[in-house]
Amino acid sequence: MPRRPGPADPSLPSVVDGTSDASSAMTPAAEAGSTEADPSVGEATVNGQATEGQATEGQGSGGQPIETALVEKPVRRHRARKVILICALVLVVLVAGGVTAAGLYVHSVDKSVKRVNAFSGVPVQSRPVKVAADAENLLILGSDTRDPENTSGSRSDTIILAHLPKGGGSAQLISIPRDTWVHVPRSANGKHGNVDAKINAAYAWGGVPLTVETIEDFTGVRIDHVVLVDFAGFEEIINALGGVDIDVDQAFTSHHSLNPSGIRHFNQGMQHMDGAAALDYSRERYAFADGDFARIQHQQQMIKAVLDKAASGDLLTNPTRLNSFVKSTAKAVQVDQTLSLLSLAAQLRNLRSNNLSFFTSPSKGTGMEGDQSVVFADTTKAKTLFAAVRDDNVPAIVAAAK
């Protein structure tokens, strides 16, 4: 078992490149209000029929004809930023250990963080009933949106349903592969949706509200709050923490790196990574036979590493580093209109990586829909898992996810 060194351990190999591509700097992820089609989403189906590169009419829930988005074949770009989410971004581990000063920092973040209209346009009658009143379910989205003014659509690269049980002290994070083939409800403007498609198409067609509606329809779990993370900001956050330590399970080379060359190699074993290296590690999927599933595992590793580092005394007792971390967090995160970071901070004040449980939504594996590679959900097992989430039954969540 590799030794887990401290942040200043000089013996730890580093994956750091101070010459990372400056073009990777991005503006914070904006709420995607656009319902234009994303050409990278791929084809969709209406009433079970595949459509490709053309507008297709289908029947809405009210029997009215609707038109799906114009969808084209996926395009792989050499420098495409297929970035990932580092979960709650420690959303509030800043108050870990009951440090009063950190609480003041969280108050500062709560005032400066941007807000999005996450639930506007979500039909009230279609939303699941909230069963466990004292538990909360957060939808965490990572998007590759570059510009808040972008109106051409974007995709949610990472989707995590975070369950916070009654009483706090733990969290269960369920990753939903972005290629999961589901039914996407009709968008608020009626132009898109009411089709079977990859789950991340919802974000392209109807922004955060349609994503919420799609996830609630798929899981049967009512979403209480939404958190969005910008990935350029994530790079800054990791750097503000002084990097993170990750145990690389197998050596691989990324050919979609933030490096100017587009290439970064990762050796097996414990590595110290700066923000750019962490992004490359967490988003890579093409280097692995199991693609998105390997990436999800790496995301979960990163979440633990960030949480541990952010909750460390090294951060909380270093005002300069803490201030840098807080400012980076405020720039990188957007939340819904009603989420109070102060309240959430108090609820999660004792949360550490060993209190986190990571799962992946059950699937039957990958397959093809038309010319698209998709993930087929195991609906029977998923129904059991998400019923446990809905009921706030943590032992049942663990059992269902095995």
Side-chain angles (χ1 to χ4, degrees):
M1 179 69 67
R3 177 173 58 92
R4 186 171 186 83
D9 189 339
S11 67
L12 184 64
S14 295
V15 183
V16 178
D17 189 338
T19 61
S20 295
D21 186 358
S23 66
S24 64
M26 298 177 283
T27 54
E31 175 189 10
S34 166
T35 54
E36 296 301 314
D38 181 358
S40 63
V41 171
E43 68 179 10
T45 64
V46 180
N47 299 327
Q49 300 299 314
T51 66
E52 180 182 317
Q54 61 182 359
T56 307
E57 291 189 353
Q59 294 296 318
S61 57
Q64 298 299 315
I66 62 171
E67 186 179 76
T68 66
L70 179 66
V71 186
E72 301 174 0
K73 292 182 179 180
V75 178
R76 185 180 297 181
R77 298 177 181 176
H78 174 65
R79 302 286 297 172
R81 303 293 194 249
K82 306 244 185 243
V83 273
I84 57 88
L85 166 68
I86 297 312
C87 186
L89 197 55
V90 200
L91 258 179
V92 273
V93 172
L94 296 175
V95 293
V99 180
T100 303
L104 298 177
Y105 276 111
V106 174
H107 181 71
S108 173
V109 172
D110 200 32
K111 291 175 61 178
S112 60
V113 72
K114 292 184 179 180
R115 303 277 170 171
V116 298
N117 292 315
F119 301 99
S120 61
V122 180
V124 175
Q125 67 275 13
S126 72
R127 303 198 67 193
V129 174
K130 187 171 179 62
V131 176
D134 296 323
E136 289 195 321
N137 298 296
L138 278 67
L139 179 61
I140 304 171
L141 299 174
S143 171
D144 66 357
T145 299
R146 301 296 183 269
D147 188 340
E149 303 303 321
N150 178 14
T151 59
S152 62
S154 57
R155 294 171 296 126
S156 50
D157 259 4
T158 299
I159 303 170
I160 297 177
L161 179 61
H163 178 68
L164 308 180
K166 177 182 178 180
S170 73
Q172 293 74 47
L173 281 66
I174 304 171
S175 296
I176 302 176
R178 66 179 189 174
D179 292 340
T180 301
W181 195 250
V182 300
H183 179 75
V184 178
R186 183 168 54 182
S187 61
N189 65 5
K191 292 183 178 180
H192 314 301
N194 195 37
V195 299
D196 292 337
K198 292 182 180 181
I199 200 167
N200 67 346
Y203 195 86
W205 293 341
V208 178
L210 186 58
T211 302
V212 169
E213 187 178 359
T214 301
I215 298 298
E216 289 188 336
D217 182 62
F218 173 61
T219 65
V221 175
R222 188 179 180 96
I223 303 300
D224 298 299
H225 297 291
V226 176
V227 178
L228 296 93
V229 176
D230 161 54
F231 300 114
F234 161 71
E235 182 178 352
E236 293 181 16
I237 289 168
I238 293 291
N239 288 336
L241 288 172
V244 292
D245 302 333
I246 296 293
D247 190 359
V248 179
D249 53 357
Q250 67 180 82
F252 68 93
T253 299
S254 170
H255 293 275
H256 304 84
S257 169
L258 293 176
N259 280 334
S261 66
I263 298 174
R264 190 191 303 271
H265 182 74
F266 292 88
N267 292 318
Q268 185 178 19
M270 191 69 74
Q271 307 290 325
H272 184 76
M273 301 183 192
D274 68 356
L279 273 176
D280 287 346
Y281 178 78
S282 302
R283 72 182 186 174
E284 179 60 42
R285 65 171 180 162
Y286 296 114
F288 307 103
D290 52 355
D292 210 35
F293 294 99
R295 183 172 67 166
I296 286 173
Q297 180 183 349
H298 293 168
Q299 291 173 9
Q300 294 171 347
Q301 279 186 285
M302 192 66 67
I303 291 168
K304 286 188 174 184
V306 172
L307 187 57
D308 283 340
K309 193 66 175 288
S312 71
D314 180 60
L315 176 67
L316 295 174
T317 59
N318 186 326
T320 300
R321 178 168 289 180
L322 180 58
N323 186 56
S324 177
F325 175 74
V326 169
K327 287 182 177 180
S328 298
T329 301
K331 288 191 298 180
V333 174
Q334 296 186 68
V335 300
D336 66 82
Q337 298 287 347
T338 62
L339 177 60
S340 167
L341 295 186
L342 286 170
S343 297
L344 192 59
Q347 182 180 353
L348 302 181
R349 64 187 179 276
N350 296 319
L351 189 64
R352 298 294 185 277
S353 65
N354 61 346
N355 303 126
L356 297 178
S357 299
F358 294 92
F359 309 105
T360 300
S361 182
S363 75
K364 295 180 179 179
T366 60
M368 299 299 295
E369 282 289 340
D371 63 352
Q372 296 185 92
S373 176
V374 305
V375 174
F376 292 113
D378 187 326
T379 53
T380 300
K381 291 183 178 180
K383 183 177 181 180
T384 301
L385 171 62
F386 292 118
V389 172
R390 188 168 55 249
D391 295 338
D392 190 27
N393 188 335
V394 175
I397 293 174
V398 175
K402 289 183 177 178

